[in-house]
Amino acid sequence: MSATIFIDGEAGTTGLGIRERLARLDGVSVKSIAPELRKDVAAKEAVMSEVDLVILCLPDTAAKTAAVAVAAMGDNGPRLIDASSAHRVAPGWTYGFPELEPAQTPAIRAARRVANPGCYATGAIALLRPLVDAALLPADLPVAINAVSGYSGGGRSMIEAHEAGTAPSFELYALDLEHKHMPEIVAYSGLTRRPIFVPSVGNFRQGMLVSVPLHLDDLPGRTTGADLTEALAAHYRGSDQIRVVEEAMASARLDAEALNDTDDLELRVYANEARRQAVLVARLDNLGKGASGAAVQNLRLMFGLS
């Protein structure tokens, strides 16, 4: 099957990443709009009516407006992938995380409207959902999620501040505990108790680490780090993009930028059995599996492209 794609917001960071990936994918053609017409509603809707899929790389409000316009086209309108956070927990939208559970991949294949996961949420859910499903992590456990991202995930103003040298080298943010990725983490992690999420940004362009510290004695029975690793490995066995990595504690250091320019996601469990403590860690490129790569993965499923 072939597909014609319109990227609404192709000049932004995520849009550029999607365009670059689609250039390497057979069976896809990209339809663009003249730069001077990018904010012309009528011109954009005309292009949308001519394509098979629209990918929204827009601020949330604009994404909602565009989705309404596509919905008004009825069954003859294009399918949608929304890379914003506008529709991740909205009724009628399919969450675009194929590895979430066995039913998710066929749901994405059949969906007309897919919401791309957030970058932080991708790492957090990838770590937590399999352990909750395996009954190794109680759904009501108090959980803290820590994360650091490159500045490219912060939008135009943050990118410009870092590239101009006016931004801090490192900063915590969203300390009101209301980060916009929280609704999807709550909805899809399997947790019934809202976790505490503390994100941060470093002075590097892209790359991400998401970590979850655990007291092993808070888990059922005598759960070990090996048990957690095995549960994650079983969940993601056969995945092309998510892999569980086992490493010796003695060499335990992680570079947030090591997966840059890939669509991979690595999961690790670091455990100190004597102290009965562990740290779950996800590493990904916030612009890859955390954004553009995830959108293209969903597109491929929706159109049966290899």
Side-chain angles (χ1 to χ4, degrees):
M1 178 183 291
S2 61
T4 303
I5 314 299
F6 172 55
I7 306 168
D8 193 357
E10 69 174 350
T13 304
T14 299
L16 290 170
I18 292 170
R19 184 70 187 255
E20 179 182 334
R21 286 165 172 80
L22 293 182
R24 304 192 294 264
L25 185 61
D26 292 335
V28 169
S29 60
V30 178
K31 192 174 185 68
S32 294
I33 193 169
E36 65 272 17
L37 296 177
R38 284 177 182 161
K39 295 187 179 181
D40 185 315
V41 174
K44 288 204 301 184
E45 290 183 7
V47 174
M48 289 177 178
S49 69
E50 298 172 351
V51 301
D52 301 304
L53 174 77
V54 174
I55 305 178
L56 304 177
C57 300
L58 302 168
D60 285 8
T61 300
K64 290 177 181 178
T65 300
V68 169
V70 170
M73 298 178 189
D75 293 340
N76 294 324
R79 298 165 82 179
L80 277 175
I81 294 176
D82 184 7
S84 81
S85 61
H87 298 104
R88 290 172 184 161
V89 295
W93 288 76
T94 300
Y95 193 57
F97 192 162
E99 303 88 354
L100 182 69
E101 59 181 357
Q104 204 66 19
T105 290
I108 293 168
R109 287 195 179 110
R112 292 200 58 81
R113 299 190 296 178
V114 173
N116 229 40
C119 50
Y120 288 126
T122 295
I125 293 167
L127 291 167
L128 294 167
R129 178 62 177 266
L131 302 182
V132 175
D133 286 352
L136 291 178
L137 196 153
D140 62 352
L141 186 73
V143 170
I145 302 166
N146 302 293
V148 60
S149 174
Y151 60 78
S152 57
R156 178 178 296 177
S157 61
M158 181 176 286
I159 293 171
E160 290 176 349
H162 276 272
E163 293 184 347
T166 59
S169 296
F170 180 89
E171 61 182 329
L172 297 178
Y173 69 104
L175 293 174
D176 60 354
L177 305 182
E178 294 289 352
H179 191 278
K180 67 179 183 177
H181 291 183
M182 280 302 302
E184 60 188 293
I185 292 174
V186 171
Y188 301 110
S189 66
L191 296 174
T192 58
R193 184 169 185 169
R194 189 178 190 272
I196 294 174
F197 176 43
V198 186
S200 59
V201 61
N203 191 24
F204 52 96
R205 180 170 176 79
Q206 64 196 86
M208 174 171 286
L209 295 172
V210 180
S211 60
V212 179
L214 295 172
H215 289 282
L216 293 175
D217 288 338
D218 290 340
L219 308 185
R222 289 289 294 176
T223 297
T224 66
D227 294 330
L228 301 175
T229 298
E230 289 169 11
L232 290 171
H235 184 94
Y236 295 110
R237 191 165 290 126
S239 171
D240 293 331
Q241 292 179 240
I242 301 180
R243 59 182 178 270
V244 179
V245 181
E246 297 186 53
E247 286 185 340
M249 285 287 287
S251 59
R253 292 188 178 188
L254 282 180
D255 175 4
E257 301 176 272
L259 294 181
N260 283 3
D261 301 317
T262 78
D263 295 334
D264 297 336
L265 170 60
E266 293 180 346
L267 306 178
R268 290 170 169 80
V269 178
Y270 296 105
N272 184 325
E273 300 295 346
R275 304 291 186 184
R276 298 292 294 157
Q277 295 176 328
V279 180
L280 315 175
V281 185
R283 175 164 65 181
L284 65 155
D285 181 354
N286 59 292
L287 299 182
K289 180 63 170 167
S292 303
V296 174
Q297 181 184 13
N298 288 320
L299 179 155
R300 290 170 64 180
L301 288 172
M302 294 168 78
F303 290 97
L305 300 173
S306 59

